[in-house]
Amino acid sequence: MSAFRHFIGIFACLIIGTCAGTIALAAPEQPADQRTLLTVAVAGQPQLARHFTLARLQALPSRTVRAMLPEETQAHTWEGVRLSDLLVGSPRYAAQHLRVEALNDYSALIPLSDLERFQPILAYRRDDQLISIAERGPLFIIYPMVDHPELRTQVYINRTVWQVSRITVE
């Protein structure tokens, strides 16, 4: 009886594995520039959520800033879209900040006043190269720390979120 159960178990695994392989082959993975990388939402209004692919982000006006992260010894050139441009069309009403969430569940609050004062960007390129997940990409909040040395404090370093996946207007 035990050998029969063992045989049935192995047979079931083979069938399930074959079916799973067939399903995976039937639905090919989307190219990287067509996958949703970012969701921009408005708190309490899920119907207003917008989804961005890399191609859609790159179609927005881009800005380049120079910044040096705390562990780095040289400044890098970062390219991306200003957070204020990303929010065009998103109602802000009485909103006071953005909640920026990362793939690893880290989140930070960015006051809306920072968007005008410092014009941080959602970067997708560093030194003319797309930012890979291994390099803390594909999306990275960057403040212009070279132009504004006063930003090199822990408060702003905490707002420099990498692997950004969601931004919520709150």
Side-chain angles (χ1 to χ4, degrees):
M1 186 76 165
S2 173
F4 181 70
R5 283 189 198 168
H6 187 69
F7 172 76
I8 295 297
I10 292 173
F11 183 72
C13 287
L14 288 172
I15 296 295
I16 291 170
T18 303
C19 292
T22 303
I23 292 169
L25 290 174
E29 189 174 320
Q30 290 180 311
D33 65 340
Q34 295 177 9
R35 270 184 259 141
T36 297
L37 296 181
L38 175 70
T39 299
V40 176
V42 177
Q45 299 185 38
Q47 73 280 7
L48 297 179
R50 295 182 298 150
H51 306 282
F52 291 86
T53 61
L54 178 59
R56 188 168 172 203
L57 287 170
Q58 290 176 322
L60 295 171
S62 68
R63 179 170 185 245
T64 302
V65 298
R66 301 268 302 149
M68 186 168 69
L69 301 177
E71 71 276 6
E72 296 177 331
T73 57
Q74 67 178 9
H76 294 276
T77 302
W78 300 81
E79 179 186 350
V81 60
R82 289 186 317 164
L83 289 177
S84 56
D85 289 342
L86 188 64
L87 297 177
V88 169
S90 292
R92 298 187 197 176
Y93 306 121
Q96 296 183 7
H97 59 260
L98 303 178
R99 178 175 303 279
V100 180
E101 299 173 54
L103 292 173
N104 66 358
D105 293 329
Y106 175 81
S107 68
L109 297 177
I110 296 178
L112 289 178
S113 59
D114 278 9
L115 276 55
E116 238 359 88
R117 186 171 178 203
F118 300 116
Q119 299 183 10
I121 65 169
L122 179 68
Y124 45 78
R125 287 187 188 278
R126 177 177 140 161
D127 297 330
D128 294 323
Q129 299 294 315
L130 291 174
I131 310 166
S132 71
I133 288 178
E135 296 170 326
R136 300 184 284 184
L139 303 173
F140 211 124
I141 299 290
I142 295 292
Y143 278 79
M145 294 182 180
V146 170
D147 294 338
H148 295 276
E150 70 271 23
L151 297 176
R152 294 190 60 77
T153 66
Q154 196 60 49
V155 169
Y156 293 98
I157 291 167
N158 291 348
R159 294 177 188 169
T160 303
V161 180
W162 58 79
Q163 294 183 332
V164 174
S165 61
R166 183 178 185 87
I167 298 174
T168 304
V169 180
E170 298 182 337

